[in-house]
Every structure is written in structure tokens, then in C-alpha cells.
Amino acid sequence: MIAYNPTGLDNAVINDQAQSEYKKGNITAVEMAGIKTAFPEILYTPNFFIRIGLFLLTAVIVICALGLIMLVMMAGLNNENFIGGLILFWGGCCYAMLELWWVQDKKHYRSGIDDALTWASSGALLTAMIVFTDFDLEGSFLCGVICAIATWMTLRFADMLMALTAFGSAIGFIFFAGFEVSPIAADLMPFIIMLVSLGAYVLFSRLSGKEQFRHYEACLDVLTTAALITLYMAGNYFVVREVGAEMLGKTGPVPIGWLFWIFTFVIPPVYIYFGIRRKDRIRLRTGLILLGMIVFTVRYYHSLMPIETAMVLGGAVLIVAAWAVIRYLKQPRYGFTYEADESGEEMTGLKAAEAIIIAQTFHKTPQPDDSFKFGGGTGGGGGATGDY
Amino acid sequence: MNQRLINKLSEQGLLSPESREKLLLPRLFSVHWEVTTLLYLGVLLLSGGLGILVYKNIDTIGHQVILLAIGLTCGLCFVIANKKKRPFSRHKVLAPNMGWDYIVLLACLLFITFITYLQAQYNVFGTRYGSATFIPMLVLLFSAYYFDHLGVLSLAITNFAAWMGIAITPYEILSNNAFNTDTRLIYTGVLLGAILMTAGYLSERFDFKKHFAFTYDNFGVHILFIAVLAGMFLLEFYYLFFLVLCGIGAFCYWQSSQRKSFYFMMITVLYLYIGVSYMILRWLFYTNLDLGGIYLGLFYFIGSAVAVVRLLIVQNKKLKTNDSI
């Protein structure tokens, strides 16, 4: 199913992993050289920053070329179907260029050019669909179309963001379809989405690690994380109550609210527990991020203490807890360690990135003309977004 | 490396038995980033919370207690940080442990809170020359070198920029700088960028805390290019700024190929591309070609973007021999 040369993908993974083991000193230079010759680089993957540049430039080319076509065909532009057809045609051109030229012929893989063309052709197809239906789409139909396009693109190009789009629109499809079908389905919506997410989680985590799906490993990781998050969000008291108010006009406390409060509190610790127990990074990290959501949900409905007291206490607790873990794991215990996996070289880059994040989050410092404005006002919502 | 791959490689005779043994050893599960993130959030919440706490209680008796608490915590953090610190060296000094980094950060942040309070309440530094911002900046800069801390260095840089009246953090660099209403900001930006780039250049040239160069340059390059581009877009003698842009671009291009840095290469190429495109579009706009102008513009963008794509691909190949960020 995948568009890229499978041997090339395998070789890229082997080279990557061998490189990282080589940097850690687990394999020798001679072995590394042997691996390099036995599994030569077939696909073209530039550096990450060059990829960003190529992505932007390809986007410029695609948009300007579409503009040029429209300019040439200016006479037909008062007809909506003609515009739709033109966009569809252009999307088709982009897709053909992507498949036949850049992927098959030039062997580009995550070069920025193939990424840009993937998104351009999907976007053009979607826009054409919207134009053809006179901008009058049911939510469920729109989500269905997005899901179909994104699923195809994920299968062909194993793009993580595309996989996420496909999953999100699939959940959206179920959500809107439920509201359109019957009010009973609408009432049961949290449970339906929870069940679907659970099913998706089980499916994706089973597929991940299987040899025939090895090229989709990264996509499956993203999908399992997304499924865990939607599973929690569908049962979260805040989400249930606010979405219910938005969609059905129901205000006030949710019926069987206690059940959703239980979900709100119990699911993240369960994720963390299984994450630690099974040494599963996805569950551990998702659980930690969702702890922030518990705090947010509680604070939204019950103001236990003023925000600054909560921040001071929460901050102190986090620091002490982290300090305790570091002390505890000074010697590795039960297979856990605090030492980073990254090599010294990778750490240098990460530290430089961290410095920028620190400057961004702590930048509110006194200005000469503001007589009294303290920093840290932006820190309140930091709970759920700190994972970098 | 997973089991499957190890078997595959050793079957093909690419792995010696010793390496195979090493690779098959059970791996430890690192919780480094999870714990580090918690620590970081803790520092963020604690320093932010204490700041608001003092501010809200400013007229009550409680605020002096809070202030005392801040002062004591800050002092304690500095004492701990200083005790565990490795001796100073002009080269990179590794942190004794990862938690230590955040103790230093917390100490510096609390110190700023403390200083700001003193300034606001008792006006200890006077109001002249923005000393209320300048003195904390000096403390931050000193701490950055003394403790060898990149995070504190970047705080010092943003504070220095704030003292000059300009914002250089990623989110604010475009949204908070009103170049169009206050054109003096353009010159400030150019000056600041030049100072930071010089600092980066000197760190590397004299091998004094060489690893700080990236942080200096990163802030410097962006503000410099953005200020010069703003000058081109907004001021009358745009061509002068265009010449400056070309000069800076040439310097950055040279520097990035010296350092083999993909990141600076990409940034330089894109900023230069924006500048050149602006000149071309401006020329097209003033020559009044009507529809022909639009055609030419679109052709220009397609052709030039293809050329820049080729340039980036070639540069990627050149730099790839020894890559870093």
C-alpha cells in the first residue's frame, strides 16, 4: 500500500538505528560501515530544516501555479462548477506529480516536497468537493470526506499528521452522524465515542509492532495516543457538559454526572499506572498530560483556592515530586533510569531548544515604564501544554 | 534496535557476537523527559504564582512575609546551586545533575521577582536609564556565564532586548513590535541584532563559552533580518536596507557553511528570498503593467521558488558531510 520503495524505507530505519547505537558505543565503526554498504541509502531525505524550507517553497509554487491557471482561464471564473473543476484538476496534477515524479522517480521521502504535495492535493480535492456541493455540507458528510481523503493519504505516504487528521475526522463523523440520526444516539454520545476510542486503541496497539505494518510504526504511535486522548475527553465532565450545552442546549449539571467525574479522575492515573507497569511511553506521557486536564476541570467548576495559591502549591508539589523521583532513580531501579537516552550531541540541540522555550515562557519581566507588573501571568494554563 | 533487526544484521554477518550481546542487553526505561518536564512546570508555576501573590497582597501585612519567603527561597536556591556547581571554565561545563539546572533557573527567576518588588516599592535603583531592567539583566548575564546555563542566558538576552525596548521572543517578535508606527524600533532592532551576532561571533572566535554562540545568533539573526525587512517595507530609502540585507545574508551564509548549520542556512535563504521578492514585486507594481504585471509576478514566484528549491537541495548535500543543527 505504501508509495515509497519498501527496501528504501527499511534501509533508512536500519541506518538510523545503527547510527544511534553507534553513537552510544554499542557497535563499532567497522560494523557501522558494513551496515552502511549492505543497506545503502535509496530514498532522499534531507535535513529537517531543509525539509521545512522545501515545504514552504513547494507551497509557494503550487499556489502560484494555481493562480496562473486561474488567470489564464479567467473567462470561466464566474461559474462555480468550473472553479471546482479547475481546483480538482490542479489537485489531480499535484497528486500525479507526487506519485509518479517525486516519489517513484526522484525517490523523495519526507523531503518537504512530497509533504507539501500531499497536503496540496488533499486540500484541493476537499475544496473542490465543498465547491461542488455549493458550500452546503452536513457536518458528518464533511468529516466523512476528510476522513476518506486522509485515510488514503496515510496509507500511501504514512504521514503522521495525516493519520491524526483521519482519526480526528472519523471521530467527528461519528459525533455528527449520531446527532443527525437520533436524539438517543446524541444522549449516548460520550459512551459511543469512548467505546470507539477504546476499540481503536486496542486495534492500533495490536497492529503496532507487527512486521507487515512496520512502515506505519510512527503513524500507529500517533493514532494510539490520539485514541487514548479521545477516550478520556469523551468521558471528561467538562467536555461532556460543555459540548452537551453547545449541541443540545442543555444547561446545568449533567445527568449521571458522578459517572463522568469518576472518568475524569480515574482514567489518567490508570494510564500512568499501566504506562509504568508495562514500560509504555505512550500511556505514561498521555496520562501525565491528562493530569493537567483533571486540574483544569476541577478548577473550572469548583474554585478551591485562588489561582496564585494553587500555582505556588502546585509548583512546589511538582518540584518536590520531581526531585524525589530523581533522588530515587539515582541508581536505576526496576529497569527505570533518570539518565537520558539521547547522545551528548542530541542533548546539545535539545538544550538549545529548551533555552528558547524558557525565554518564551518566562519572558514577562519588568518594563521601565510599567510601574508594577509582575511576570508569570501566562503561566496559569501551563498544565496541559508543557510536553516538549 | 529491536530483536528482529538485531537478528537480521547478525545473520548477515554484519554484527560481531560481542556487539550482538551488547545490543540484546535489556534496556533501561528512561523517564528523563517526563521528570524534566514536571520540574520545568513546577518552576514555571512556583515562580509565576509567587509573583502574583506578592502583587495581590501588596497593601497587606502579608506581603512582607511573602517577600521574605521569596528572598529566602531564592537565597537557598543560589546556595544549593553554588555548592554543587562544578568549577568555572571558559569551555562548556556540564551540570552536576539535571535537577540542578532548574534550581539555577528558579533562583534567577525569584531574584528578578525580588528586585522588581524592591524597585516598585522603594524605588531602589531610581528611574533613570531603565536601570530597573538593566540591573536584573546584568545579574542574569553573570549567572548565565557563572553557572553555564543556556536558559538563563536566553532570559538575559530577552531582558536586554526589553531594556532596549524591543521584544524578541518567538511569539512576540512580530506581534508586539509595532515597526510601522514607531520606525525607531527598526534601528533598535538592527542594533540589537548586530550586538547579539557580534556576541555570538566573539564567543566562537575567542573560544569563550563557544556553545553560547547558537543562542546569541539565533535571537540575533531573526531580529536583525526582521528589522531590516521592516525597514525595506516601511522606510523611503528601502534600497539601502536591501543592500544591508544582502550584506547580512552573505555573512550568515558564510557563517552557516563554516559551522555546517542547516538551520541558519535555511533561515538565511528564506529571509533573503523574501527581500529579493519584495524588490521584484515593488518594481513590477511601479511599472504599471496591469494584468501583465500579475502574470510576470506569478511566473517570477514559480521560477524563483524552483531555483531556491534547487539551491537548498545543493546546500543540503554540501552540509550533509558533517551535520549539526
Side-chain angles (χ1 to χ4, degrees):
Chain A
M1 265 322 276
I2 203 152
Y4 304 104
N5 179 339
T7 324
L9 290 175
D10 285 339
N11 289 7
V13 170
I14 293 171
N15 271 307
D16 256 17
Q17 298 202 350
Q19 192 72 42
S20 104
E21 295 298 341
Y22 171 58
K23 276 182 187 157
K24 283 179 205 155
N26 288 334
I27 58 177
T28 62
V30 181
E31 284 166 342
M32 185 65 221
I35 290 171
K36 259 191 179 163
T37 39
F39 301 98
E41 224 170 73
I42 297 174
L43 300 176
Y44 175 78
T45 308
N47 176 276
F48 180 72
F49 295 110
I50 302 291
R51 181 182 174 193
I52 294 175
L54 293 180
F55 182 93
L56 294 175
L57 290 163
T58 312
V60 168
I61 298 172
V62 167
I63 291 166
C64 287
L66 179 63
L68 204 59
I69 297 175
M70 289 212 162
L71 214 53
V72 174
M73 306 263 181
M74 194 125 84
L77 284 189
N78 43 21
N79 183 345
E80 265 182 21
N81 279 339
F82 182 77
I83 299 179
L86 209 58
I87 294 175
L88 187 63
F89 166 75
W90 183 231
C93 287
C94 286
Y95 189 73
M97 274 196 284
L98 167 66
E99 284 266 3
L100 301 173
W101 187 17
W102 290 103
V103 171
Q104 238 178 54
D105 189 41
K106 293 266 198 176
K107 308 242 180 283
H108 276 225
Y109 169 60
R110 301 198 175 159
S111 71
I113 297 177
D114 58 340
D115 300 301
L117 287 174
T118 310
W119 286 94
S121 48
S122 321
L125 184 54
L126 182 66
T127 316
M129 289 299 278
I130 294 173
V131 173
F132 281 142
T133 49
D134 286 332
F135 302 91
D136 185 28
L137 284 170
E138 296 279 347
S140 61
F141 184 71
L142 185 65
C143 285
V145 172
I146 297 176
C147 182
I149 299 173
T151 307
W152 174 255
M153 291 295 179
T154 309
L155 289 174
R156 286 298 286 167
F157 304 106
D159 186 89
M160 285 187 271
L161 220 50
M162 238 356 146
L164 200 61
T165 312
F167 183 74
S169 53
I171 294 288
F173 174 74
I174 295 167
F175 180 79
F176 287 116
F179 277 92
E180 284 156 24
V181 169
S182 82
I184 301 165
D187 282 337
L188 291 175
M189 192 48 71
F191 303 104
I192 297 175
I193 300 215
M194 284 177 87
L195 270 180
V196 171
S197 305
L198 188 64
Y201 174 74
V202 173
L203 176 72
F204 295 140
S205 50
R206 291 252 167 95
L207 293 184
S208 146
K210 285 234 163 62
E211 195 177 356
Q212 68 260 44
F213 297 112
R214 63 191 183 281
H215 300 138
Y216 297 103
E217 203 75 58
C219 289
L220 288 169
D221 281 352
V222 171
L223 287 172
T224 38
T225 312
L228 285 176
I229 291 175
T230 51
L231 173 59
Y232 175 71
M233 287 301 176
N236 178 279
Y237 184 83
F238 170 79
V239 176
V240 171
R241 180 162 165 177
E242 299 306 315
V243 172
E246 181 75 22
M247 298 295 295
L248 299 170
K250 287 179 184 168
T251 46
V254 180
I256 56 164
W258 54 272
L259 183 64
F260 294 113
W261 275 117
I262 292 177
F263 285 145
T264 304
F265 276 99
V266 168
I267 293 178
V270 169
Y271 286 175
I272 295 174
Y273 173 76
F274 280 108
I276 293 173
R277 191 74 199 280
R278 305 263 166 85
K279 298 213 168 90
D280 176 12
R281 203 170 291 284
I282 291 175
R283 271 181 279 189
L284 178 61
R285 284 190 177 168
T286 314
L288 285 173
I289 293 170
L290 291 178
L291 283 182
M293 194 64 197
I294 300 184
V295 175
F296 171 78
T297 309
V298 172
R299 275 203 59 84
Y300 194 85
Y301 295 106
H302 306 283
S303 192
L304 296 176
M305 57 182 100
I307 178 93
E308 63 276 6
T309 321
M311 280 167 74
V312 171
L313 284 181
V317 168
L318 281 177
I319 292 174
V320 170
W323 191 251
V325 174
I326 294 174
R327 287 303 291 264
Y328 181 72
L329 290 179
K330 237 177 183 173
Q331 255 83 47
R333 287 176 210 237
Y334 306 109
F336 287 94
T337 176
Y338 180 66
E339 289 301 311
D341 264 341
E342 284 77 10
S343 63
E345 194 184 314
E346 286 168 316
M347 268 318 220
T348 313
L350 289 168
K351 277 276 151 199
E354 189 201 55
I356 297 169
I357 295 173
I358 287 175
Q360 176 62 49
T361 44
F362 294 108
H363 68 92
K364 286 261 162 59
T365 38
Q367 299 282 320
D369 41 7
D370 287 344
S371 58
F372 208 84
K373 244 183 201 162
F374 267 108
T378 54
T385 54
D387 197 65
Y388 53 87
Chain B
M1 220 182 250
N2 62 25
Q3 189 89 34
R4 207 161 56 215
L5 191 51
I6 298 170
N7 288 340
K8 186 175 171 181
L9 290 178
S10 54
E11 269 166 31
Q12 297 192 14
L14 291 166
L15 283 182
S16 63
E18 299 92 71
S19 294
R20 190 187 138 85
E21 284 297 302
K22 257 192 212 167
L23 290 173
L24 282 176
L25 282 177
R27 291 292 163 93
L28 290 171
F29 185 87
S30 166
V31 289
H32 177 89
W33 291 107
E34 288 79 3
V35 177
T36 305
T37 308
L38 291 184
L39 203 51
Y40 168 79
L41 280 177
V43 171
L44 183 71
L45 289 175
L46 187 61
S47 64
L50 282 175
I52 305 176
L53 208 57
V54 176
Y55 175 53
K56 280 207 175 164
N57 293 304
I58 199 82
D59 290 325
T60 64
I61 313 160
H63 83 273
Q64 295 198 334
V65 181
I66 298 163
L67 193 71
L68 192 68
I70 293 180
L72 283 179
T73 323
C74 171
L76 189 70
C77 288
F78 269 124
V79 168
I80 295 174
N82 198 32
K83 217 167 106 185
K84 296 233 171 163
K85 161 185 183 304
R86 289 187 181 153
F88 181 82
S89 144
R90 61 188 293 160
H91 301 291
K92 188 174 177 174
V93 180
L94 288 177
N97 58 58
M98 268 298 186
W100 180 85
D101 262 359
Y102 293 86
I103 300 280
V104 174
L105 186 62
L106 185 62
C108 290
L109 290 167
L110 290 179
F111 186 76
I112 295 179
T113 308
F114 196 74
I115 290 277
T116 317
Y117 171 82
L118 288 182
Q119 172 66 14
Q121 198 72 343
Y122 305 110
N123 209 1
V124 264
F125 304 113
T127 46
R128 273 180 302 167
Y129 312 119
S131 52
T133 322
F134 193 70
I135 289 166
M137 192 281 287
L138 283 182
V139 174
L140 285 175
L141 195 63
F142 172 77
S143 307
Y145 277 91
Y146 184 71
F147 294 112
D148 198 305
H149 198 294
L150 274 181
V152 175
L153 177 72
S154 60
L155 282 178
I157 294 173
T158 45
N159 263 286
F160 180 59
W163 176 69
M164 289 179 76
I166 205 161
I168 53 168
T169 48
Y171 286 139
E172 282 78 17
I173 196 163
L174 285 175
S175 58
N176 267 14
N177 293 325
F179 289 115
N180 49 349
T181 50
D182 185 4
T183 43
R184 268 181 321 172
L185 267 186
I186 293 172
Y187 300 107
T188 315
V190 173
L191 182 64
L192 174 65
I195 293 172
L196 292 176
M197 295 277 290
T198 314
Y201 177 76
L202 293 178
S203 319
E204 200 150 61
R205 176 78 176 67
F206 294 103
D207 196 7
F208 189 81
K209 295 289 180 194
K210 208 171 169 180
H211 60 291
F212 282 6
F214 175 84
T215 305
Y216 276 124
D217 284 338
N218 185 39
F219 283 112
V221 162
H222 284 291
I223 191 66
L224 192 56
F225 272 123
I226 287 172
V228 171
L229 284 177
M232 275 177 71
F233 297 164
L234 299 168
L235 297 180
E236 246 172 79
F237 30 98
Y238 61 93
Y239 41 88
L240 269 182
F241 277 96
F242 180 65
L243 290 179
V244 175
L245 181 82
C246 292
I248 300 164
F251 175 73
C252 292
Y253 181 86
W254 170 77
Q255 203 170 39
S256 59
S257 43
Q258 286 280 307
R259 291 182 185 164
K260 302 205 183 296
S261 163
F262 289 99
Y263 174 66
F264 285 117
M265 177 64 73
M266 195 269 291
I267 289 173
T268 309
V269 168
L270 289 188
Y271 277 123
L272 273 178
Y273 184 53
I274 294 172
V276 172
S277 300
Y278 174 77
M279 292 301 275
I280 303 258
L281 285 190
R282 197 185 164 104
W283 173 72
L284 280 175
F285 185 75
Y286 279 111
T287 34
N288 268 328
L289 294 166
D290 291 335
L291 207 54
I294 302 179
Y295 270 108
L296 274 181
L298 288 173
F299 273 122
Y300 159 74
F301 269 113
I302 296 172
S304 59
V306 170
V308 178
V309 163
R310 298 197 70 99
L311 174 73
L312 279 183
I313 289 177
V314 170
Q315 289 304 329
N316 182 61
K317 210 172 182 179
K318 263 195 200 166
L319 296 181
K320 212 183 163 188
T321 39
N322 178 19
D323 52 343
S324 60
I325 44 168

